[in-house]
Amino acid sequence: MCKKKRTGENGIKFNDKGEKSMKDTNSTTENITTKEENVMNEELLKIKEQLIDDIKSWYEDSYMIIRDMEQSNYEKPWIISEARKLTANARGGDDKRDANCTAIMEGIIRYIEAQPEEFFENVEIPWNWDDMVELLYHKFYSNADFELIEFSSRKEEFIEWLSKCADIDMLEFGNEVESEEKLELKDELLDAYENEEEEYFEKAWYDEWICVDELYDHVNEDIYRFGLYKG
């Protein structure tokens, strides 16, 4: 005759010896835990995917936003400085440094893609442009692996242009200044630029594609600033 298994309170079953049978309870607990882990992993995966999409969007808009910040003398200059580094000091898609900007972006994305789900438990998706700069620069930039093409600095490029290519008649040292004195003043102007910090030459008006007339306008403003205008 087949003996019935006893069932106690809370649905706990007993075997023929009166021992609790916990197999079903354990199985249920394991299933619940597995489902919770799967939900958590899915949420972390969504954070990972959203972060990568947001980074791509940030890089698409970065050139225009950095330029606007520079021209408006943005109140957080360190954000501009960090954003410049994240974009390899490139100024647009036509800038040869854009290849380095792409390399940095791809290196950061590769680093993020290689991280396990639990890495994203402490990652918050930035809600504004500045916060994305801080996250990219302080959390990912130094950890990402990328190779950059070596270019001469913008300071070197600008000084070479002024030394070899600039039309001296476009440099406004004063109406009464003779040609020989202009050459001497140009040398003083070059010396003054040599003493400027590299950061100065990363400003937007030194873009390679900028209007040449505008470039001369800025140089002539510097002639006044350096005290080289002779009236």
Side-chain angles (χ1 to χ4, degrees), residues 44 118-124 139:
L44 294 175
E118 54 266 25
F119 175 85
F120 300 92
E121 291 177 1
N122 298 315
V123 173
E124 293 185 12
K139 194 172 184 69

Side-chain angles (χ1 to χ4, degrees), residues 168 173 178-188:
I168 196 166
F173 293 109
E178 300 294 334
S179 297
E180 187 174 335
E181 188 179 1
K182 274 190 175 183
L183 291 173
E184 293 175 359
L185 289 170
K186 181 182 175 182
D187 287 339
E188 290 185 43

Side-chain angles (χ1 to χ4, degrees), residues 53-65:
D53 288 342
D54 288 354
I55 289 171
K56 290 178 180 178
S57 296
W58 184 90
Y59 270 94
E60 286 177 4
D61 299 333
S62 59
Y63 292 141
M64 179 184 66
I65 294 175

Side-chain angles (χ1 to χ4, degrees), residues 4 11 44 49 58 76 100-101 108-109 112-113 140 154 163 173 192 206 210 217 219-220 229:
K4 253 186 172 180
L44 294 175
E49 291 173 347
W58 184 90
K76 299 178 182 177
N100 283 345
C101 176
I108 288 174
I109 290 175
I112 293 171
E113 288 175 335
F140 301 133
R154 290 192 188 275
S163 175
F173 293 109
Y206 281 123
I210 199 169
D217 287 343
V219 172
N220 288 328
Y229 183 75

Side-chain angles (χ1 to χ4, degrees), residues 6-164:
R6 291 188 295 125
T7 302
E9 294 180 3
N10 300 324
I12 297 175
K13 294 183 179 180
F14 294 84
N15 59 22
D16 294 339
K17 297 180 181 180
E19 297 170 335
K20 291 179 181 179
S21 176
M22 302 298 292
K23 183 177 180 181
D24 292 342
T25 304
N26 289 340
S27 177
T28 301
T29 303
E30 288 173 1
N31 288 338
I32 292 173
T33 302
T34 301
K35 287 180 181 178
E36 289 175 347
E37 289 176 349
N38 288 340
V39 170
M40 176 63 75
N41 288 341
E42 287 177 8
E43 290 300 317
L44 294 175
L45 186 59
K46 286 180 182 178
I47 292 174
K48 182 178 184 177
E49 291 173 347
Q50 183 183 339
L51 180 60
I52 290 173
D53 288 342
D54 288 354
I55 289 171
K56 290 178 180 178
S57 296
W58 184 90
Y59 270 94
E60 286 177 4
D61 299 333
S62 59
Y63 292 141
M64 179 184 66
I65 294 175
I66 292 171
R67 185 180 180 85
D68 289 345
M69 285 181 168
E70 288 172 331
Q71 292 179 341
S72 64
N73 294 316
Y74 188 52
E75 61 185 5
K76 299 178 182 177
W78 65 90
I79 291 291
I80 298 175
S81 179
E82 291 173 359
R84 282 201 198 110
K85 291 177 182 177
L86 289 167
T87 53
N89 288 317
R91 292 297 180 182
D94 295 333
D95 188 338
K96 59 189 176 184
R97 293 172 178 80
D98 180 61
N100 283 345
C101 176
T102 300
I104 292 172
M105 180 192 71
E106 292 176 347
I108 288 174
I109 290 175
R110 281 195 304 271
Y111 173 77
I112 293 171
E113 288 175 335
Q115 303 310 308
E117 279 81 2
E118 54 266 25
F119 175 85
F120 300 92
E121 291 177 1
N122 298 315
V123 173
E124 293 185 12
I125 301 295
W127 290 101
N128 61 58
W129 202 84
D130 289 8
D131 288 346
M132 179 61 85
V133 171
E134 297 281 23
L135 179 65
L136 288 172
Y137 187 74
H138 295 287
K139 194 172 184 69
F140 301 133
Y141 179 77
S142 59
N143 292 314
D145 184 25
F146 47 81
E147 291 186 12
L148 302 181
I149 302 169
E150 191 171 338
F151 295 110
S152 55
S153 71
R154 290 192 188 275
K155 179 177 180 177
E156 292 170 335
E157 290 175 352
F158 172 77
I159 289 176
E160 182 177 6
W161 169 81
L162 182 59
S163 175
K164 299 179 180 179

